[in-house]
Structures are given as C-alpha cells and as structure tokens.
DNA sequence: CATATCACTTACTTTAGGGTAAGTACTTGT
DNA sequence: ACAAGTACTTACCCTAAAGTAAGTGATATG
C-alpha cells in the first residue's frame, strides 16, 4: 500500500488534527471519495466484492480494494472469505461500522438540507 | 485560488460522489485538515483573523485564509470587516454553520467512542 | 523615517491520494 | 488447450491539496 513519508509536515499536521480533533479523526476514516458510498452499499446488508464493484461502476478495482482494506484495518468493515475456487468473499459492516449509522444519517440530513437551501 | 483541471477523472469522480452522496457533499465542505478545527474555534463565538491564527499556531496563514475563504464561499462562515487601519476583520458561523453543530457533535461523539474502543 | 500591526497575496515546491492498465492464482466448463 | 470467473496485485503516472517563504497596503507610533 502507498508508502507515506512520515517525516513530512503534512503528516505531522494530520496526526495533530486526528489526535486533537475527533471530527478530523472521523474524516480520516471515512474520507476517501468512495468510502461513504461503499459504507452506504454495505449498510443494506453484506455484499460480495463483485457485487460492490457492479453497484459502484465508476470505481476502479484498485480504489475499491484499497478502501475496503482501509475500512477493514480501521475496524469498520469485516471481510469473510470462503476457501473455495472461484473465491467467495463477503464484506459487511462491523458493530463499529453499524454504530456510525446515526452519525452518517446526521451528516446526510444536514447535507440534504443544505443542498435544498435550508438554513 | 488553486486552479483545478476540471477535465480530470479525479474531478469527475469527485463531482459524482458529491452529487450522489450527501455525506461526500458534507465532507467536501468540512474536509480540509484545518476546517473542523476552525469551526470548533468559531463555535464558541466570533473571532478575529489574528485570534484564530494564535488559537491554531500550527496552521500557516495561507492555509488559514484559504480555508476561511472556502468556508465563506460555502456559506458556513460570515466575514465582517471594518474599514479601518489596521484592518479589523471578524469571522463567525452563519446560520448554516451553526446548523451543522448537531452533526458535528454526532461525529465527535462517535469518534471519541471509537477511540476509546467502544463498540 | 523606520518600524510595527493587521489581514491578507503570490510564486513556487512537495506529497498523498487517486487513476490507468496490465498481470496473478486457481479451478471449472467447452 | 483455452477462455471465463473471482478477488485481488503491481508498477507507473497525474493532480489537488498542503506547505514554504516572502511580499503588499495603509496608517500609527516612537
């Protein structure tokens, strides 16, 4: 996975933000272009890798798998693979992942309100 | 302000995400490293430019002003300047900005819970 | 008359994230 | 023997976001 140069100011500032600010911490976890969309698709139930791929046609395989790995590493998503050929892999939200649904809904609600010009 | 090459796939995908997904839309607005921190400092009342600068020592002036301009352009923050010398400029949350506090609080709550290992 | 204050600007560099395209392993079906 | 299906990997390139450092304008103050 992409190497990071942990001596850069960018990294230092990011760490600072993530540690000082729980909101930055959240955004670090769900901040990729495709992550909210992946989470949305998983919120309605487990999906196989290929199902996600078809559900989100614009995403490339590299990005899809990269985001899935990150979500898994952050404990938001659980990956389950059956040792068969062809492979059978399913992804689903962990309890932490499901636990963020109220937050996600709050975000979506504000977003929709703001789009519509409320406030 | 930074020019964007709107013909790139990155831009297309971003537009797709922002339009399809209200959560991505929200993150586009509050997704800079410093934006949540700026919003946090403004949530307790108006601040002068210099007060923000002092309150967030690690941010550079370029980033601070850039994020403030974006927040203003997105209607989250209001800028008020008195035509005096030296300048006297204050920033405060707009009603839309204040309207996102419940959402921000939901995010912070989940973030803190997750940091502490809840779920 | 030089320096300080405030709120920015501007030109340039670096880096992390995203994108493209091709390849891998393993087995079943034709 | 060859293609098809599934779930990835890998190597390389491009762009937008972030950072660095210096400069601007208008006035007041010593």
């Amino acid at each position: 996975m992409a190497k990071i140069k942990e001596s850069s100011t960018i990294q230092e500032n990011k760490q600072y933000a993530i540690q000082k600010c729980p909101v930055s911490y959240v955004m670090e976890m769900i901040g990729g272009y495709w992550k909210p969309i992946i989470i949305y698709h998983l919120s309605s139930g487990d999906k196989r890798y290929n199902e996600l791929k078809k559900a989100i046609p614009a995403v490339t395989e590299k990005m899809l798998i990269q985001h899935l790995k990150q979500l898994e590493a952050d404990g938001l998503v659980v990956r389950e693979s059956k040792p068969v050929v062809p492979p059978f892999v399913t992804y689903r939200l962990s309890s932490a992942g499901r636990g963020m649904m109220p937050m996600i809904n709050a975000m979506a609600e504000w977003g929709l309100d703001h789009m519509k010009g409320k406030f």
Side-chain angles (χ1 to χ4, degrees), chain A residues 30-56:
Chain A
I30 61 170
Y33 288 2
W34 304 103
K35 280 187 190 173
I37 296 170
I38 292 171
I39 291 167
Y40 169 76
H41 283 285
L42 291 180
S43 71
S44 58
D46 330 12
K47 292 276 182 318
R48 293 184 66 179
Y49 175 81
N50 241 10
E51 292 181 296
L52 285 171
K53 209 176 89 177
K54 279 173 203 152
I56 316 171

Side-chain angles (χ1 to χ4, degrees), chain A residues 13-91:
Chain A
N13 284 344
K14 195 179 216 172
Q15 289 310 313
Y16 171 89
I18 293 171
Q19 281 158 29
K20 292 267 175 179
C21 172
V23 178
S24 301
Y25 173 83
V26 167
M27 286 193 314
E28 174 68 10
M29 291 206 172
I30 61 170
Y33 288 2
W34 304 103
K35 280 187 190 173
I37 296 170
I38 292 171
I39 291 167
Y40 169 76
H41 283 285
L42 291 180
S43 71
S44 58
D46 330 12
K47 292 276 182 318
R48 293 184 66 179
Y49 175 81
N50 241 10
E51 292 181 296
L52 285 171
K53 209 176 89 177
K54 279 173 203 152
I56 316 171
V59 74
T60 64
E61 301 209 52
K62 184 204 164 197
M63 280 294 108
L64 179 55
I65 199 78
Q66 192 176 103
H67 284 151
L68 283 170
K69 296 283 172 208
Q70 286 170 9
L71 290 168
E72 194 194 354
D74 289 335
L76 301 181
V77 153
V78 176
R79 175 184 182 274
E80 191 175 3
S81 79
K82 290 181 182 147
V84 295
V85 171
F88 193 98
V89 178
T90 49
Y91 290 91

